[in-house]
Amino acid sequence: SPKGYVFDHFTTISIKENAHTDINMYKKPNWFLESIIITLEQLKKLSMEIAVLACGCFWGPEIKFSKLKGVIKTEVGYCGGNTEKTTYEEVCTGNTNHAEVVKIDFDSKIISYEEILNFFFEIHDPTTLNSQGPDIGTQYRSEIFYLNENQKKIAEKVLRDVNERLSGKVVTKISLLKNYCQAEEYHQKYLEKR
């Protein structure tokens, strides 16, 4: 994908501007095509990207990322494991190799991938292996899952800078996105529901 446009099975974009409310327009033979053209024109104005990040239990980070200006949507899930689909119970056994992650849809014209990663390093301890606070296990590891080479380069640069500041103690991994699946509904926006 060209930089800034990630339209795949991860992202659903709803655009309500210029929504057609004139019932007579549907009688026109090209109404559907005209609707698609308008939608594509609106999409061109956006610079949608996705970040997938593991930084411990996903409940807290999801709410923190959701409050950043430029973040369109957050979702929690599992990533980096041995299978395409998994469940919370399976992940907790430590046998699937999945990490708990936050998937962040953001507009890179408002917030950059680098800014997202800098925030990621601010909100968790990247020096503890397979744990964050009281949570221990491989599912709580620190990991950046990149979607393309540009994200990989940015992640490597940010990690290098953070590792320098923390005297080489960072254990955060950088990996190509693999086997992402959405977590169960009860985990989504968990802290907002409480």
Side-chain angles (χ1 to χ4, degrees):
S1 298
K3 182 184 178 306
Y5 295 96
V6 179
F7 303 114
D8 55 20
H9 64 280
F10 284 108
T11 306
T12 304
I13 299 174
S14 301
I15 295 184
K16 294 178 182 168
E17 277 181 50
N18 299 329
H20 296 292
T21 53
D22 180 6
I23 193 80
N24 292 321
M25 71 142 326
Y26 298 108
K27 295 176 184 171
K28 293 175 15 185
N30 293 329
W31 71 269
F32 183 72
L33 183 59
E34 288 172 12
S35 298
I36 291 173
I37 290 168
I38 288 168
T39 302
L40 288 177
E41 286 304 312
Q42 290 169 329
L43 287 176
K44 285 178 188 173
K45 295 176 187 172
L46 299 175
S47 294
M48 294 298 298
E49 285 195 52
I50 294 167
V52 179
L53 305 170
C55 50
C57 175
F58 45 33
W59 296 338
E62 180 189 27
I63 201 164
K64 290 173 183 172
F65 281 114
S66 73
K67 292 178 189 236
L68 291 177
K69 185 176 181 188
V71 169
I72 310 300
K73 177 185 164 193
T74 57
E75 159 184 306
V76 296
Y78 313 108
C79 192
N82 306 325
T83 56
E84 286 182 19
K85 297 284 177 194
T86 192
T87 65
Y88 181 67
E89 289 73 23
E90 290 170 344
V91 170
C92 286
T93 67
N95 297 327
T96 72
N97 203 36
H98 287 85
E100 291 191 13
V101 297
V102 181
K103 183 174 80 68
I104 304 142
D105 294 26
F106 64 99
D107 183 343
S108 63
K109 285 183 180 172
I110 300 170
I111 186 168
S112 70
Y113 185 66
E114 185 169 344
E115 289 171 315
I116 294 270
L117 293 184
N118 283 324
F119 186 71
F120 161 78
F121 280 111
E122 286 173 21
I123 63 170
H124 82 294
D125 182 353
T127 68
T128 55
L129 185 63
N130 298 328
S131 68
Q132 286 297 306
D135 299 319
I136 298 170
T138 57
Q139 71 268 33
Y140 301 119
R141 67 187 179 265
S142 176
E143 190 161 2
I144 298 166
F145 293 96
Y146 63 88
L147 280 74
N148 54 50
E149 284 303 306
N150 188 50
Q151 284 192 351
K152 181 182 181 184
K153 284 178 191 165
I154 294 168
E156 288 170 343
K157 176 197 173 292
V158 172
L159 186 129
R160 234 183 352 263
D161 294 346
V162 171
N163 202 25
E164 243 178 65
R165 283 198 317 269
L166 297 176
S167 307
K169 295 177 183 172
V170 173
V171 295
T172 304
K173 291 168 57 180
I174 298 174
S175 307
L176 180 64
L177 183 106
K178 176 181 106 170
N179 290 337
Y180 173 84
C181 67
Q182 185 178 20
E184 296 83 350
E185 181 54 37
Y186 69 90
H187 285 300
Q188 306 300 327
K189 310 284 185 276
Y190 182 84
L191 295 179
E192 289 179 24
K193 296 173 189 171
R194 294 182 79 198

